């Protein structure tokens, strides 16, 4: 058995078990029926048209940075007609002081131990 046996199918089964466990149900979308999931198909088309068709990635790091930048714009900046031309999920700035009060506490300075002189040889 190769590593591919623990891929998407394995994860999908775990997610399905969790969904059943919490008492929810999912809608079945037949394989090869993209018209049953218009949201994903619309997103895939936008991703392809707005990003992938216009870029050449020379390294994995470059792809990660450019795609993350596009994702942030897609989710937090671009206007959406059905939302009154507001972004779907604008980023919210939360000051570190209110989000993580412990981040502002400083650790005690290191203890100062007396330094003994090394004996010198004459």
């Amino acid at each position: 058995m190769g590593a591919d046996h623990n891929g998407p199918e394995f994860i999908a089964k775990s997610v399905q078990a969790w969904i059943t466990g919490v008492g929810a149900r999912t809608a079945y979308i037949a394989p090869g029926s993209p018209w049953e999931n218009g949201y994903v198909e619309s997103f895939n088309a936008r991703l392809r048209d707005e990003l992938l068709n216009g870029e050449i990635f020379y390294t994995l790091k470059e792809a990660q940075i450019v795609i993350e930048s596009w994702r942030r714009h897609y989710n937090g900046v671009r206007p959406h007609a059905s939302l009154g031309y507001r972004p779907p999920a604008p980023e919210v700035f939360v000051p570190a002081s209110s989000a993580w009060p412990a981040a502002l506490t400083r650790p005690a300075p290191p203890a100062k131990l007396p330094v003994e002189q090394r004996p010198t040889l004459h």
Side-chain angles (χ1 to χ4, degrees):
M1 286 204 159
D4 58 333
H5 293 294
N6 290 331
E9 296 83 8
F10 179 77
I11 294 168
K13 287 180 182 176
S14 296
V15 170
Q16 287 172 344
W18 176 81
I19 289 170
T20 303
V22 297
R25 294 184 356 183
T26 60
Y28 177 75
I29 297 174
S33 299
W35 51 86
E36 291 188 53
N37 194 347
Y39 176 79
V40 169
E41 291 303 311
S42 175
F43 171 78
N44 288 345
R46 285 188 193 279
L47 176 67
R48 187 174 46 255
D49 293 344
E50 296 176 11
L51 177 67
L52 300 178
N53 286 346
E55 296 287 341
I56 296 175
F57 303 112
Y58 292 100
T59 66
L60 176 59
K61 192 64 173 172
E62 179 186 10
Q64 289 170 332
I65 291 168
V66 172
I67 292 169
E68 175 62 12
S69 174
W70 183 86
R71 184 194 68 80
R72 286 175 171 259
H73 180 269
Y74 183 86
N75 286 333
V77 177
R78 74 173 174 88
H80 196 288
S82 69
L83 297 175
Y85 294 95
R86 292 186 314 257
E91 288 189 8
V92 176
F93 174 75
V94 178
S97 60
S98 63
W100 299 284
L104 296 178
T105 60
R106 295 184 180 191
K112 303 251 180 180
L113 298 175
V115 178
E116 294 185 24
Q117 291 287 351
R118 285 187 174 185
T120 57
L121 296 174
H122 294 280

